[in-house]
Amino acid sequence: MIKEIIVIAILLISAHSFSQATNSSPYSLFGIGEQVNLKSVEEIAMGQMGGALNSEYQLSFTNPASYSYLSWTTYVFAGGNKTNVVNDGNETQTSSAAALSYIALGIPIRGNQGLAFGLQLHTAVGYSLLGQTFDDDGTITEIDRYFGNGGTNRVFLGYGYKFPYNISLGVEMAYIFGSIDNNVTNRRNNVQLATNQITDSNVKGTTLKLGAHYAPNISDKLKLKFGLAVDLESTLKENGDQILYTSINIADGVGSPIDTLNRSSITATIKSPLKTVISAGIGQENKWFFGGEYTFQKPLEFSGGAYDDIDFYYYGDYSNISVGGFFIPKMNSLSNYFERVTYRAGVNYKKTGLIVNNTEINQYGISFGVGLPMGLKLSNVNLGFEMGKRGTTDNGLIEENFYNFRLSLSLNDKWFRKQKIY
């Protein structure tokens, strides 16, 4: 029981670590940051496909109905490192960032129910940009520096119930919270003072997700699996302060404040329309699985605060197509460790919905990974690698080539077992 208490304590105190989450994408400048994949390392390694998955000893975050299949208490920790190679059409730069991705606990209940709760990254902000203006002689006349960090997290509680005929339903509630800092410094040649603007805001709100899962047998070994998950319409509130002040115009752009020109409060809303995930696949339990997934959503809506004055970017329809699967040569092999390893791979194409300078910011990626068993138990270490491209250099924009490495630890145990006397 001591181990169970320690795990729950870690779940509670790890919120402090999430406050230090970072990102390295220029596109995290927009809105409340870059949307983080709300999926497990295993799902992302299969091309971000997970709505039709279910497991007795692993957590899949896409569909809360999958929690009803849990037979083992499962606690997971995950983190990753993201490397971006950014190209603006003239030069390339490389940046990287590491962060804790999620920590969660899944508990089976009476053989046909499951409960899961935890903490996940939701959005991440992390950028540092420089804009320069030149005169006809090539002399720099104006410099704009943009810097931002922060993001939002989500605490979630999910429940799944398995009915007869291989039908499961689930529900998940989440509370989203976080803070975002955006800074802009403007310096002009032969001007004594620089102008600085700092926007410091807090974001919070709740979301609700519903899920369904159906897994009929089509033969003694093969199963079809269907998953449906729906994030209901939700609204986040953003409140904060915006400060405009002057500072000494020095070369590195960092100077002590001289005079506050304006201080104001900001209040904004971020409306997220209904988001739907449809997934299907075929496979053999604990052997192999292959499936696909389609996700779609109407445009995000931002209003109030600084959003009312922005016209160079907006949001269109979001969609994501994923295809992937896994293969286990022989799960119960005693003589060959690598036959018990889970091999995963997948691809995906995403329309992020973000439109900048009337140009869609789309993304595609390929991913693969392995699940390494720990001894002869169900616990495992999951490694995942994803590479892809986002954006374009057209219309003065930025193209990103990203390389993401992820690692998770999935531990399994039987809780609440009755003691037997022999």
Side-chain angles (χ1 to χ4, degrees), residues 74-111:
T74 303
Y75 24 99
V76 293
F77 313 83
N81 183 81
K82 176 179 181 179
T83 299
N84 262 358
V85 180
V86 179
N87 178 16
D88 64 0
N90 297 314
E91 60 179 347
T92 60
Q93 293 185 358
T94 301
S95 61
S96 63
L100 183 64
S101 301
Y102 59 80
I103 181 170
L105 174 65
I107 305 172
I109 304 173
R110 295 184 178 180

Side-chain angles (χ1 to χ4, degrees), residues 101-353:
S101 301
Y102 59 80
I103 181 170
L105 174 65
I107 305 172
I109 304 173
R110 295 184 178 180
N112 69 332
Q113 303 169 61
L115 186 71
F117 63 93
L119 183 66
Q120 287 178 301
L121 281 180
H122 180 250
T123 64
V125 176
Y127 63 89
S128 180
L129 304 172
L130 177 67
Q132 298 177 329
T133 302
F134 301 85
D135 62 15
D136 295 337
D137 297 329
T139 302
I140 298 176
T141 59
E142 187 175 354
I143 295 177
D144 290 304
R145 293 181 181 271
Y146 303 86
F147 173 80
N149 57 39
T152 60
N153 311 304
R154 68 191 298 265
V155 177
F156 70 91
L157 174 64
Y159 170 80
Y161 188 96
K162 183 165 57 178
F163 296 87
Y165 307 107
N166 298 306
I167 297 174
S168 295
L169 298 178
V171 60
E172 179 185 279
M173 297 174 289
Y175 175 70
I176 296 174
F177 64 97
S179 61
I180 299 172
D181 297 322
N182 293 294
N183 302 270
V184 181
T185 298
N186 176 266
R187 296 172 50 224
R188 299 187 181 186
N189 195 22
N190 299 321
V191 176
Q192 181 180 8
L193 299 180
T195 304
N196 305 267
Q197 178 177 291
I198 297 178
T199 303
D200 185 3
S201 62
N202 295 302
V203 180
K204 60 182 179 180
T206 58
T207 63
L208 181 65
K209 178 192 292 187
L210 304 178
H213 190 275
Y214 178 48
N217 294 309
I218 57 175
S219 71
D220 292 339
K221 295 184 177 180
L222 293 181
K223 270 192 174 185
L224 287 175
K225 295 186 179 182
F226 302 94
L228 174 67
V230 178
D231 286 279
L232 301 183
E233 181 180 296
S234 62
T235 300
L236 301 180
K237 297 291 185 179
E238 183 176 11
N239 298 285
D241 297 308
Q242 191 171 80
I243 303 173
L244 184 67
Y245 67 93
T246 57
S247 62
I248 297 295
N249 190 356
I250 57 179
D252 63 4
V254 179
S256 300
I258 298 298
D259 187 26
T260 299
L261 303 179
N262 183 57
R263 180 189 295 266
S264 60
S265 298
I266 60 171
T267 301
T269 59
I270 302 97
K271 181 179 178 181
S272 179
L274 187 77
K275 184 176 183 180
T276 305
V277 179
I278 301 173
S279 185
I282 185 173
Q284 182 179 339
E285 290 295 329
N286 298 319
K287 181 68 176 180
W288 65 272
F289 179 82
F290 179 79
E293 184 170 294
Y294 178 57
T295 305
F296 58 94
Q297 183 182 34
K298 288 296 184 180
L300 300 174
E301 299 179 13
F302 294 78
S303 60
Y307 300 115
D308 289 340
D309 299 325
I310 294 176
D311 57 6
F312 68 95
Y313 82 87
Y314 60 96
Y315 284 85
D317 291 346
Y318 167 93
S319 66
N320 185 36
I321 298 175
S322 303
V323 177
F326 70 82
F327 173 67
I328 308 174
K330 189 177 180 180
M331 185 178 182
N332 58 356
S333 175
L334 298 177
S335 59
N336 190 330
Y337 175 83
F338 292 99
E339 287 187 343
R340 293 188 286 116
V341 172
T342 303
Y343 301 90
R344 305 181 177 96
V347 296
N348 73 90
Y349 176 76
K350 181 184 299 183
K351 296 180 66 175
T352 67

Side-chain angles (χ1 to χ4, degrees), residues 363-393:
Q363 172 183 316
Y364 64 85
I366 180 172
S367 56
F368 50 89
V370 292
L372 305 175
M374 299 173 63
L376 297 176
K377 299 181 179 181
L378 294 174
S379 299
N380 56 82
V381 176
N382 296 289
L383 305 177
F385 181 77
E386 179 185 25
M387 58 186 298
K389 174 183 173 182
R390 173 170 50 202
T392 175
T393 56

Side-chain angles (χ1 to χ4, degrees), residues 382-407:
N382 296 289
L383 305 177
F385 181 77
E386 179 185 25
M387 58 186 298
K389 174 183 173 182
R390 173 170 50 202
T392 175
T393 56
D394 295 341
N395 298 326
L397 300 181
I398 293 173
E399 178 183 284
E400 295 180 357
N401 289 282
F402 58 85
Y403 306 90
N404 299 330
F405 173 76
R406 297 180 173 88
L407 181 148

